[in-house]
Amino acid sequence: MSETALTATAAVASVPSGVRTPWSEFWRKFRRQHVAVLALAFVVVLVALAILAPWIAPYDAENFFDYDRINEGPSFAHWLGVDPLGRDILSRILLGGRISLATGFLSVAIGGLVGTVLGLLAGYYEGWWDRIVMRLSDVLFAFPGILLALGVVAILGSSLVNVVVAVSVFSVPAFARLVRGNTLVLKRATYVEAARSIGASDRTILLRHILPGTVSSIVVYFTMRLGTSIITAASLSFLGMGAQPPTPEWGAMLNDARADMVSSPHVAIFPSLAIFLTVLAFNLLGDGLRDALDPKLDRA
Amino acid sequence: MLTFFLKRLLGLLPTLAIVAVLVFLFVHMLPGDPARLAAGQDADQQTVELVRAELGLDRSLPEQFGRYFLNMARGDVGVSIRTRRPVATEIGERFMPTLLLTLTSMAWAVAFGLVIGIVSAVYRNEWPDRLGMTLAVSGISFPAFALGMLLMQIFSVGLGWLPTVGAGSWKHYILPSLTLGAAVAAVMARFTRASFVEVLGEDFVRTARAKGLKERVVIAKHCLRNALIPVVTMMGLQFGFLLGGSIVVEAVFNWPGVGRLLVDSVNQRDYPVIQALVLMFSLEFILINLVVDLLYGLINPTIRYK
C-alpha cells in the first residue's frame, strides 16, 4: 500500500481532490484518531520550543543565579520555581528539551539508518551475510539496552556524545530485524519480480522498490523508538554517565534534585513531567501512525 | 522434550562464545592502559609493570584469552580493583537482593498486566478499556527513576508508610518492585489486550459461545490459554528489560544489588567487576529465553519438540 509513500508528498499537490493517494489515505485514517492528532500537535510545539529555547528562555539556564529565591516554588518571576543553586527551572527545562530531543532523534536516526541498511542487505541477499548480521543482532539483543549503553560509556567515558553512540548501538538490531523481515516478504512480491525481469539492477530494486515498501513500518517504529531512546538517554544522565553538570539535561536535573527532594519537591517534579509528557506524546503519536499506516505491526 | 532442551542448550553456545569474546576484548578496547588504571594514578613505572605481570597483561593476546577462559571455567573471575576482594564474592553478596527484586517486579507486572489486558480486551472500546490503555501508555512513558522518586516522595516521605532506601524487610521491596514492574506491566497489558482481541474473534470462541457456555468459562478456558502464547514470549523479552531497569531503580532506592554494583564499577572503572557483571547479565538473559521456549511448549501443545 505504501510503495509510493515516499513520492506521495510531492504528488499530492497535483492530484485533484477526491482521488485516493497513499498520502491522503494515511491522512484520512490518521485524522480520525484525535489523541494522535493532539500528540502530533504537542510534538510540533515541543520541537518549536526546543529550536527557539535560547531566545525564549527567560533566564540563562546555566549561569544565572537568583540567590534571593533559592529553592522557591513557582512564582511570577520564575514560573516553575528555582533550583537549589538559584537557577530558573523553566529555562533549564526549555534548554534541556533541546538536548533530550536532539539526543533521542540523533540516536534513533543513526541506529535506524545502520539497521535499515543491514536489514535490507541481509534480507535481500540472505546467505552468510544474513547469518552474520542476524547472529550479531541476537547478541546485541541479549544485552538489555541500558546495560549495553553502560558498557559503551564505560569504554568511551561519560559524555552526551557517547550517550548518543550508546543508544544508537542498541537501536540497530531492532531496525535490522524489522527491515530484514519486510525485505524477505517484499523481494518475493510480483512487482519486484517484474522489475527484475525488465532488467533492473539489485541496487534499483532495493532502493526504489523494496525500501519504499518498508518505509511505513520504519516510520512507525522510529516514532515509538524515540520515546524509549529519550528515556534511556535521560536514565544514563540520571546515573551520572551522560550530560555532566551544569548542562540542563532532564535526567541530570532529576539527579541533582534528589538531595533536596524533601524540602523542594518542585525541583524534581517539573523535569519528571517534561520527560513524561514528551515520551507520552511520541508513544501516542507512534500508536496513531501505526494504526494509520501499518495495522499489522505488533501492538506492544 | 529432553533432546529439544539439550539441542537448544547447545545452540546457545555460539551466542555465549561471542559474548565471552566481546567481554574479553572489552578490556583491550579501553582507552589507556588497564595496568596503569589498576595500579593507580601515582604509581611509578616499576609498579605498573608489576601490576601488569600480576594481571597477566604482559602476555600475548591468545595466551591471555586462554587464561581468561580457563579461569572462568574454574569460576575465578578475578579481583575487584576497587575493593581488592574476589569479584565472585562481591557479586555473590549482591546477587540475591537483585534476583528477589526482579522476581517481585515480574510478579506484579504479570498480575497487573494480564488483568488490565484481559479486562481491556473483554470491554473493548468501553471505559474500562480506555482507562486500562491510558494507564498502560502512561506506564511506558514514565521513566523508572522519576516514578521511583515520586513514589518515594508520596509513600515514604509524605505518608511515612514505607521505608525509603535499603533492603532490610519485605516493606523495602514494595516501592522498588512497583517502580521496576510498572513499565513491564504496561507492555504486558498492551500485548495481552492485542493478543486477546485477536483470539476473541476466532471461530472456536464463537462455537464455545454458541453451545451456551458462560462468558466467564469462554474467557478463562478457551481464550486465556491461546492468548497467552505470545504473552509468554513477551514475558521473556521483558525479563531482559527488568534486568536493565534494575540498574536504574537500584540507584534510586540505594538497593544493595548487582545493578548498583555495576554503576559503581563503571564510575570507578573497576574493569574486572564490569566484565563479570556483563557476562552474568547476558548469561541470565540467554537462560531466561531458554526457559521461555520451554514454557511455550507447556502452554501450546501443538508445538512438537524435535
Side-chain angles (χ1 to χ4, degrees):
Chain A
M1 133 207 151
S2 56
E3 51 264 30
T4 49
L6 267 186
T7 51
T9 349
V12 76
S14 58
V15 172
S17 59
V19 176
R20 286 182 164 190
T21 64
W23 184 252
S24 71
E25 269 298 278
F26 158 71
W27 182 242
R28 190 177 62 78
K29 286 186 196 157
F30 184 76
R31 210 176 37 192
R32 279 192 311 214
Q33 306 177 54
H34 302 292
V35 180
V37 174
L38 209 68
L40 178 64
F42 188 74
V43 167
V44 170
V45 172
L46 270 180
V47 172
L49 284 178
I51 293 172
L52 299 174
W55 293 280
I56 57 175
Y59 300 94
D60 185 319
E62 291 178 25
N63 301 314
F64 173 82
F65 303 97
D66 193 340
Y67 293 115
D68 299 330
R69 296 173 185 266
I70 282 172
N71 270 339
E72 260 185 22
S75 63
F76 275 112
H78 303 277
W79 290 5
L80 301 183
V82 182
D83 77 359
L85 292 180
R87 295 172 298 195
D88 180 54
I89 294 177
L90 176 63
S91 308
R92 288 179 66 72
I93 286 184
L94 283 172
L95 278 138
R98 222 177 147 86
I99 298 174
S100 280
L101 289 186
T103 33
F105 187 82
L106 262 180
S107 51
V108 185
I110 299 171
L113 191 72
V114 176
T116 302
V117 171
L118 289 179
L120 271 178
L121 295 176
Y124 190 72
Y125 292 107
E126 294 185 59
W128 60 269
W129 167 251
D130 181 39
R131 276 199 292 277
I132 291 177
V133 170
M134 282 304 114
R135 175 62 71 190
L136 278 177
S137 291
D138 283 347
V139 174
L140 279 182
F141 250 46
F143 286 71
I146 192 141
L147 184 62
L148 193 68
L150 273 177
V152 173
V153 171
I155 297 173
L156 300 176
S158 316
S159 83
L160 251 156
V161 179
N162 295 340
V163 167
V164 173
V165 173
V167 180
S168 330
V169 169
F170 94 93
S171 287
V172 170
F175 278 99
R177 279 191 178 186
L178 178 76
V179 173
R180 172 184 178 265
N182 280 335
T183 309
L184 280 176
V185 176
L186 287 175
K187 77 172 184 184
R188 292 187 179 85
T190 329
Y191 75 89
V192 171
E193 202 180 312
R196 190 175 293 119
S197 66
I198 58 168
S201 65
D202 281 357
R203 196 190 140 98
T204 314
I205 291 177
L206 270 174
L207 292 181
R208 303 215 33 183
H209 299 284
I210 293 183
L211 180 62
T214 65
V215 160
S216 55
S217 22
I218 294 177
V219 167
V220 172
Y221 199 70
F222 191 96
T223 317
M224 296 187 158
R225 199 79 199 175
L226 271 175
T228 325
S229 298
I230 290 176
I231 288 191
T232 311
S235 304
L236 284 171
S237 290
F238 176 79
L239 293 174
M241 295 177 188
Q244 299 297 315
T247 314
E249 206 274 346
W250 292 342
M253 284 170 75
L254 267 174
N255 193 21
D256 288 345
R258 265 205 289 180
D260 298 286
M261 209 38 206
V262 182
S263 59
S264 40
H266 68 278
V267 182
I269 287 171
F270 291 117
S272 306
L273 267 179
I275 305 177
F276 171 60
L277 291 177
T278 307
V279 176
L280 184 69
F282 280 117
N283 282 335
L284 290 173
L285 180 62
D287 281 359
L289 287 175
R290 179 201 53 211
D291 290 345
L293 283 172
D294 202 357
K296 279 195 201 126
L297 204 73
D298 276 353
R299 288 200 141 257
Chain B
M1 182 88 178
L2 189 68
T3 30
F4 171 81
F5 178 77
L6 289 176
K7 245 185 181 168
R8 280 295 319 243
L9 212 55
L10 281 177
L12 292 177
L13 288 178
T15 311
L16 203 57
I18 297 178
V19 173
V21 172
L22 283 181
V23 171
F24 168 73
L25 288 176
F26 179 80
V27 162
H28 299 271
M29 286 191 289
L30 296 168
D33 181 353
R36 170 153 291 283
L37 271 166
Q41 284 291 318
D42 315 316
D44 53 44
Q45 196 54 39
Q46 208 176 354
T47 324
V48 174
E49 290 312 320
L50 265 172
V51 172
R52 192 188 311 281
E54 188 190 301
L55 293 174
L57 292 168
D58 51 344
R59 297 159 204 243
S60 71
L61 211 57
E63 202 179 335
Q64 282 187 47
F65 187 68
R67 265 170 44 113
Y68 159 76
F69 236 86
L70 278 177
N71 282 339
M72 218 166 51
R74 284 198 313 243
D76 176 8
V77 277
V79 176
S80 160
I81 294 175
R82 196 162 49 106
T83 59
R84 293 263 152 229
R85 299 198 307 157
V87 176
T89 324
E90 286 278 342
I91 294 179
E93 283 172 7
R94 310 286 202 103
F95 186 74
M96 279 320 277
T98 298
L99 184 69
L100 285 176
L101 179 65
T102 319
L103 290 177
T104 329
S105 311
M106 201 58 183
W108 286 118
V110 169
F112 280 126
L114 284 187
V115 170
I116 294 177
I118 293 172
V119 168
S120 291
V122 173
Y123 296 97
R124 197 175 167 194
N125 294 332
E126 291 171 46
W127 70 265
D129 182 22
R130 290 186 204 287
L131 178 70
M133 287 305 106
T134 308
L135 272 177
V137 78
S138 309
I140 305 178
S141 309
F142 217 101
F145 52 93
L147 182 63
M149 285 171 72
L150 184 72
L151 289 177
M152 211 197 302
Q153 181 69 21
I154 297 175
F155 293 101
S156 309
V157 180
L159 298 169
W161 291 352
L162 295 165
T164 45
V165 294
S169 67
W170 63 270
K171 277 187 173 173
H172 285 94
Y173 277 85
I174 298 177
L175 292 184
S177 60
L178 276 177
T179 307
L180 183 54
V184 177
V187 173
M188 296 285 284
R190 280 158 69 98
F191 206 77
T192 310
R193 178 185 181 274
S195 167
F196 230 86
V197 164
E198 204 167 294
V199 171
L200 280 172
E202 296 276 354
D203 286 343
F204 67 82
V205 174
R206 196 177 38 189
T207 311
R209 282 183 182 144
K211 70 181 185 185
L213 289 181
K214 285 198 193 97
E215 188 64 16
R216 199 167 359 128
V217 179
V218 175
I219 301 223
K221 280 192 76 176
H222 294 249
C223 299
L224 191 59
R225 196 154 156 162
N226 285 287
L228 275 185
I229 296 167
V231 174
V232 169
T233 321
M234 202 59 208
M235 223 168 95
L237 285 174
Q238 290 302 315
F239 235 109
F241 183 87
L242 281 183
L243 290 178
S246 66
I247 297 170
V248 176
V249 174
E250 286 182 10
V252 176
F253 289 94
N254 215 3
W255 196 259
V258 279
R260 220 184 79 213
L261 181 64
L262 180 64
V263 173
D264 291 346
S265 312
V266 171
N267 276 330
Q268 313 243 347
R269 301 281 182 273
D270 191 346
Y271 297 108
V273 181
I274 303 176
Q275 255 187 344
L277 280 175
V278 170
L279 203 62
M280 186 197 80
F281 272 116
S282 320
L283 184 68
E284 238 178 291
F285 193 66
I286 289 170
L287 282 178
I288 286 162
N289 277 330
L290 182 68
V291 172
V292 168
D293 269 4
L294 293 176
L295 268 181
Y296 208 78
L298 286 179
I299 298 175
N300 186 2
T302 58
I303 292 180
R304 294 273 171 272
Y305 291 106
K306 280 176 198 149

